[in-house]
Amino acid sequence: MSKQGYRVQNPTTGEIVERYDTATDDDVTKALDNADNAYRSWREKTIEERAQIVKQVAALFTERKTELATIIADEMGKPMAEGVEEAEFCTEIFNYFADNGAELTADQEIKSISGGKAYIERLPVGVLLGIMPWNFPYYQVARFAAPNLVLGNTIVLKHAEICPRSALAIQQIMTDAGVPEGVYNNVFASHDQIATIIADPRVQGVSLTGSERAGSIIGALAGEHLTKAVLELGGSDPYVILDTDNVKEAAQTAWATRMYNTGQACNSNKRMIVMEDIYDEFVDELTQLARKMKPGSPSDEPGEVFTPLSSRSAAETLDQQVKQAVSEGATLLAGGELADGEGAYYSPAVITGVTPDMAVYSEELFGPVAVVYKVSSDEEALTLANDTPFGLGGAVFSTDKERAEKVARRLDVGMANVNTPAGEGAELPFGGVKRSGFGRELGPLGMEEFVNKRMYYVAD
């Protein structure tokens, strides 16, 4: 819990617009009691009955998309167009699990050699704790909540301290959609209260999306209390370009991908690995694109405008990382300027010349910074791509699809992509390996995490 607590803090100025009270211990106890009590009746509904309610949740995300986008523009600076897109994606996610939940949780018969009939049933487990980040305030909640609500679990949700309005907006959607009281419970909990929640024996699982540091703390608490955990942590995804028919277009796609959400995405293309024969032209185009960027507000039309990072502290951290890289010998070709004052603006940057002995080589740059590496062979590209403590996603591009696939299949990541920055959709699982965490969200695997895969045997 930050010293400033739950608040709406305008990232363009640093001004605290509104403060919210942290939950009392009684509030936390009530939320746990409500979630546990609600579970007993929620799990007894048919999956079709739960899905019908979740479909109403889906509809409200799109119906309220402009209002929802405005809220997160104020809270963490997300461009309005991206905020609307995020709300619409939530509709897709809730609909996916509502429409496919029955099939995804259907009994699976096991071939028995002992006589009788054996099945695997997929049943809910109980109360779950979700600890969500600020960078995608709706989407992150949707991918955790949607499968578990359909499955029959109940949720206690602790959102980021700078996202109280969006947290309350989600709670209102749940209420207005007809989600029964106690099934979804927003709580403005402190860090100490999070530990209390995880220690409660009624809590059967915890899902965190956040930093490595937060993942280590929550993972330790979950382990201490034998509680199932899903951790989606940082990433420093490789973005490998082996060849292209149009270098400028490839650079433009790479730049647009890196600038999405002002570079604040776990699976953004933070390390661009480019073959030497197209490297110079690629870097030149990136540099020109970076130099054209001007500071703007979330309400501006997308294009050559960058919005602030989520907070001044986030911008200062990024600035320190870039300055250290330059002091250690990296080359800053464009941008990299921290705005004066209390706003969170940081001009989009392009960096080259990063080597393994530099701190930034093994760090995540969570903001609008493109780091570009030059390689001379597919094997060198692969070695560099895998030389990271992270393992979230990665992408490989080539006009020869088989060549790209050959490299992509050897990436040490949870999500490997060929000729696209990222495969995205409610049906596609999301998650990583190594220090990017463990467990999966979305798709069929998203319903496999917090579930009792019960063996059910009926003798002859």
Side-chain angles (χ1 to χ4, degrees):
M1 183 77 181
S2 72
K3 293 180 181 178
Q4 294 182 305
Y6 287 88
R7 77 275 183 198
V8 176
Q9 187 167 10
N10 186 341
T12 65
T13 65
E15 176 191 4
I16 295 179
V17 178
E18 189 175 9
R19 291 188 182 275
Y20 292 75
D21 292 336
T22 301
T24 65
D25 290 346
D26 284 345
D27 291 334
V28 171
T29 298
K30 182 180 178 181
L32 286 168
D33 288 345
N34 288 348
D36 184 53
N37 290 333
Y39 171 63
R40 302 180 195 286
S41 56
W42 185 240
R43 69 180 178 182
E44 294 303 321
K45 290 183 179 292
T46 67
I47 196 166
E48 290 80 11
E49 288 173 326
R50 293 191 296 265
Q52 187 174 13
I53 295 173
V54 170
K55 292 283 283 185
Q56 296 303 311
V57 173
L60 288 177
F61 267 97
T62 290
E63 183 179 309
R64 300 178 184 178
K65 62 185 180 182
T66 302
E67 172 193 343
L68 295 172
T70 300
I71 290 171
I72 57 177
D74 292 341
E75 286 181 330
M76 47 74 65
K78 188 183 293 282
M80 281 293 295
E82 293 183 15
V84 168
E85 184 179 72
E86 182 175 339
E88 291 173 339
F89 193 20
C90 290
T91 293
E92 180 185 333
I93 292 168
F94 280 103
N95 275 331
Y96 170 80
F97 286 105
D99 292 339
N100 297 282
E103 179 184 349
L104 294 175
T105 58
D107 291 352
Q108 176 184 344
E109 187 171 357
I110 305 170
K111 184 177 180 180
S112 174
I113 59 175
S114 307
K117 292 283 188 179
Y119 305 87
I120 296 173
E121 299 176 310
R122 287 171 171 80
L123 306 175
V125 293
V127 181
L128 306 176
L129 170 63
I131 305 171
M132 297 293 111
W134 48 259
N135 58 331
F136 291 92
Y138 305 122
Y139 159 67
Q140 304 280 8
V141 174
R143 69 187 198 187
F144 163 63
N148 288 300
L149 290 177
V150 173
L151 183 64
N153 294 319
T154 57
I155 291 169
V156 175
L157 199 291
K158 186 268 179 212
H159 217 314
E161 283 87 349
I162 64 170
C163 293
R165 283 185 187 166
S166 49
L168 292 175
I170 296 170
Q171 179 72 74
Q172 192 63 53
I173 284 175
M174 297 292 174
T175 300
D176 293 347
V179 174
E181 183 179 357
V183 171
Y184 182 95
N185 307 270
N186 180 75
V187 179
F188 292 149
S190 68
H191 287 174
D192 287 343
Q193 289 169 336
I194 290 172
T196 299
I197 294 169
I198 294 174
D200 193 297
R202 294 171 294 182
V203 175
Q204 298 300 304
V206 55
S207 178
L208 166 87
T209 298
S211 65
E212 286 181 86
R213 179 175 174 274
S216 178
I217 293 169
I218 297 304
L221 286 169
E224 179 184 351
H225 298 287
L226 300 179
T227 303
K228 170 69 184 289
V230 168
L231 303 178
E232 197 274 277
L233 309 178
S236 189
D237 289 10
Y239 188 94
V240 182
I241 304 179
L242 302 175
D243 64 77
T244 177
D245 288 334
N246 190 326
V247 178
K248 285 191 174 183
E249 186 177 280
Q252 290 163 3
T253 299
W255 182 253
T257 302
R258 189 67 188 98
M259 291 304 106
Y260 192 78
N261 202 31
T262 319
Q264 300 166 117
C266 300
N267 62 330
S268 185
N269 52 338
K270 300 185 179 84
R271 295 180 300 136
M272 301 180 192
I273 301 169
V274 183
M275 205 60 68
E276 60 183 355
D277 59 328
I278 57 174
Y279 173 87
D280 289 341
E281 186 180 352
F282 182 90
V283 170
D284 181 65
E285 180 65 16
L286 277 190
T287 303
Q288 292 185 49
L289 291 168
R291 289 173 178 168
K292 290 177 182 177
M293 302 292 283
K294 304 296 181 187
S297 73
S299 61
D300 290 336
E301 290 296 316
E304 297 174 359
V305 170
F306 66 92
T307 54
L309 274 70
S310 63
S311 66
R312 179 70 183 187
S313 62
E316 289 175 348
T317 296
L318 186 64
D319 184 51
Q320 291 168 3
Q321 289 177 294
V322 171
K323 283 181 176 175
Q324 181 174 352
V326 171
S327 72
E328 292 174 345
T331 301
L332 177 64
L333 297 174
E337 295 180 2
L338 178 65
D340 295 332
E342 296 302 315
Y345 286 97
Y346 186 81
S347 61
V350 178
I351 298 178
T352 60
V354 171
T355 56
D357 58 309
M358 300 178 186
V360 74
Y361 183 85
S362 301
E363 295 176 343
E364 177 180 27
L365 293 173
F366 211 63
V369 179
V371 181
V372 194
Y373 296 86
K374 183 197 301 186
V375 292
S376 58
S377 69
D378 292 12
E379 195 64 32
E380 184 183 0
L382 178 66
T383 299
L384 177 56
N386 287 336
D387 190 18
T388 172
F390 299 102
L392 191 54
V396 183
F397 295 80
S398 174
T399 55
D400 180 347
K401 189 170 71 171
E402 288 186 7
R403 180 186 182 192
E405 286 193 82
K406 187 176 180 180
V407 175
R409 288 186 183 280
R410 295 171 66 195
L411 292 176
D412 297 333
V413 298
M415 302 173 288
N417 304 276
V418 173
N419 287 338
T420 183
E424 292 188 347
E427 77 283 8
L428 300 178
F430 189 103
V433 295
K434 298 194 286 188
R435 295 191 69 83
S436 290
F438 45 78
R440 294 294 181 269
E441 294 179 305
L442 299 179
L445 301 185
M447 220 163 199
E448 293 282 314
E449 292 293 348
F450 299 108
V451 60
N452 175 11
K453 298 172 186 174
R454 185 171 73 177
M455 190 283 295
Y456 185 76
Y457 182 77
V458 180
D460 287 337

